[in-house]
Amino acid sequence: MFAGFFCAVKRNFPPPRSFFSVTDKQRAPDDWTVVQAVLAGKPGAFQTLVRRYERQVANIIYLSLGNREDVEDLSQEVFLRLYQSLPRLNPQRSLFSWIYRITANLCIDEIRRRKIKRILSLEFLIDEGRSLAEMGGRVHAPDRILEDQERRHAIVQALQNLPADHRITIVLREYEDLSYEEIADALQISVPAVKSRLFRARERLRALLEPHLRGGS
Amino acid sequence: MKHIPKQELHGFHDGRLSAEREREIVLHISSCNACRMESEDLARIRSWILSAGDVRPHSSFAGDAETRAYDTEQLEGQWLGIEKVAARTVLVLSVLVAALTAFSMIASPPASASVDAVLNDDRQDSTVVQFMVEHEISRDEALVAAVTKQE
Ligand SMILES: [Zn+2]
């Protein structure tokens, strides 16, 4: 329905890392100043906040769910939940970790909901078969140098083979560059749990992407 | 040569090790193919995930989000009004129903007390039929049995 609303960026699009290179304390006052404006009903204030995090939220959702079609609806849902929760938030804490928590919970719920739906409709048999066939095709061509687009597709597919909580953990680490502590805070788990999820997620990805890792740059 | 434990390679990849240990690992990697390959795999996976996250919201997304948020709030306010009216109506109706029930209990005794009541009540009639079938007795006998049982 919203196809085309979200657009893929050219391959050299810079990831939003710079925003997260500042420390928590440095970024927190800015966010909370904006939140105050939102709570005071200032027009445009909420979109300032949305603009600040929309790309991160959209990509966490995309990487976690593996398709672009639902990114906009789910992103809207994240920001709606954020908006509704603003009056109850503690200004001592970082807003971004709250946004990640909402996004992560939504993704995990959505992944589980879809899994149940797929199992019920037995579609998963077809899907699994298709993705395995795609993987298999590459196993037989290890010397093939993969194009960027193909590789991006492969990594997104591989991510979909991880359990929901592992998937969101590795996306927050590798894409958002969050520290173990920040991930633990966003997902409400311990730092050792983050470490263990990351370890297992990466080892699984390594196994799934073996042909790509050995075949190309 | 003793390889770097996998967990430690992941820690190295995430910058979680001491400067001292990092130096040792860099040194080891420079001369160990297996560990270097593992380390490079981790770096590649990271860079692929980074490049895969290429979705950029449309320029009107933030404005839409704000409109939707404000609209929902207004809608909820309206619903809250409707809900209040609905809640009051339900309360008034409940009180009315309770009062009517109490009145009917006082005005007429419980229906199970007489043979007439048994005859007039379908459910109790089915009890009579059950008695007839179970005990192979006439309708009148069953009626007496059903009423006796109820009393
Ligand atoms: Zn080694």
Side-chain angles (χ1 to χ4, degrees):
Chain A
M1 171 183 181
F2 289 100
F5 194 93
F6 273 75
C7 49
V9 184
K10 294 271 182 260
R11 65 182 62 174
N12 59 350
F13 186 80
R17 296 178 93 85
S18 58
F19 184 80
F20 292 99
S21 62
V22 290
T23 67
D24 216 343
K25 278 175 187 167
Q26 278 173 305
R27 105 189 104 210
D30 278 345
D31 280 350
W32 288 108
T33 307
V34 181
V35 169
Q36 289 310 311
V38 175
L39 292 176
K42 199 172 169 191
F46 188 60
Q47 36 177 313
T48 304
L49 213 53
V50 174
R51 216 159 267 135
R52 213 171 266 191
Y53 292 102
E54 59 185 1
R55 199 184 305 157
Q56 290 92 321
V57 167
N59 280 295
I60 294 172
I61 294 171
Y62 167 57
L63 292 170
S64 302
L65 297 180
N67 71 63
R68 295 173 194 273
E69 286 72 35
D70 306 311
V71 173
E72 197 217 345
D73 279 353
L74 292 170
S75 298
Q76 287 282 7
E77 182 60 27
V78 166
F79 288 108
L80 192 61
R81 287 185 193 187
L82 171 70
Y83 180 79
Q84 287 165 339
S85 64
L86 285 181
R88 301 191 305 273
L89 293 187
N90 178 2
Q92 302 303 312
R93 305 203 51 197
S94 69
L95 187 73
F96 85 94
S97 126
W98 178 246
I99 296 175
Y100 287 138
R101 191 179 304 175
I102 298 174
T103 312
N105 285 339
L106 194 82
C107 287
I108 290 171
D109 287 350
E110 189 63 21
I111 291 164
R112 291 188 177 144
R113 199 179 63 78
R114 285 176 189 199
K115 202 173 170 189
I116 292 167
K117 210 172 146 191
R118 280 207 304 165
I119 288 169
L120 288 176
S121 67
L122 292 176
E123 255 177 43
F124 75 108
L125 288 174
I126 301 158
D127 276 5
E128 300 286 286
R130 191 160 49 218
S131 53
L132 286 176
E134 278 168 8
M135 297 274 178
R138 284 169 193 140
V139 173
H140 297 302
D143 56 337
R144 184 173 166 193
I145 295 169
L146 293 159
E147 293 297 324
D148 272 4
Q149 202 182 342
E150 204 177 344
R151 194 187 290 143
R152 281 203 296 269
H153 176 72
I155 187 82
V156 173
Q157 283 287 314
L159 281 169
Q160 308 316 305
N161 280 280
L162 303 180
D165 40 11
H166 290 194
R167 212 185 293 180
I168 197 78
T169 309
I170 196 158
V171 169
L172 289 180
R173 174 72 202 117
E174 307 293 35
Y175 185 79
E176 294 297 346
D177 198 25
L178 298 196
S179 69
Y180 291 4
E181 288 74 16
E182 287 169 328
I183 298 171
D185 187 37
L187 301 183
Q188 297 282 280
I189 55 173
S190 66
V191 169
V194 172
K195 235 163 125 174
S196 140
R197 282 187 189 181
L198 280 176
F199 181 78
R200 287 195 275 169
R202 284 174 179 148
E203 289 304 311
R204 177 103 180 98
L205 285 180
R206 245 158 57 89
L208 286 166
L209 296 165
E210 177 78 19
H212 302 276
L213 289 164
R214 299 292 152 258
S217 56
Chain B
M1 196 192 316
K2 194 169 175 266
H3 292 302
I4 310 290
K6 278 188 176 199
Q7 258 97 352
E8 228 181 350
L9 267 183
H10 286 242
F12 171 71
H13 173 71
D14 287 328
R16 304 286 297 186
L17 305 181
S18 68
E20 170 74 23
R21 187 63 189 141
E22 268 190 9
R23 266 197 301 278
E24 287 168 12
I25 290 180
V26 170
L27 208 69
H28 175 91
I29 281 176
S30 66
S31 61
C32 172
N33 255 335
C35 290
R36 187 173 53 242
M37 225 155 76
E38 284 206 25
S39 178
E40 283 172 0
D41 284 353
L42 296 180
R44 275 191 195 137
I45 288 172
R46 172 171 292 171
S47 85
W48 292 354
I49 291 178
L50 267 172
S51 68
D54 60 358
V55 172
R56 187 174 56 177
H58 191 272
S59 58
S60 67
F61 175 81
D64 292 348
E66 180 171 293
T67 308
R68 194 181 287 202
Y70 291 170
D71 282 356
T72 306
E73 194 176 46
Q74 278 174 356
L75 207 65
E76 272 172 3
Q78 285 168 14
W79 273 107
L80 212 64
I82 293 167
E83 275 162 9
K84 274 180 190 164
V85 171
R88 274 189 207 131
T89 312
V90 167
L91 188 72
V92 167
L93 282 175
S94 314
V95 170
L96 253 163
V97 167
L100 278 171
T101 309
F103 176 76
S104 66
M105 294 284 275
I106 294 162
S108 61
S112 60
S114 69
V115 174
D116 282 349
V118 174
L119 284 171
N120 291 333
D121 190 322
D122 284 341
R123 276 170 300 161
Q124 283 158 355
D125 193 52
S126 75
T127 313
V128 173
V129 172
Q130 201 184 326
F131 268 92
M132 286 168 70
V133 174
E134 266 177 25
H135 303 284
E136 294 177 347
I137 49 177
S138 70
R139 184 175 174 83
D140 286 342
E141 285 168 330
L143 199 57
V144 172
V147 173
T148 313
K149 197 190 170 208
Q150 274 171 5
E151 282 171 342

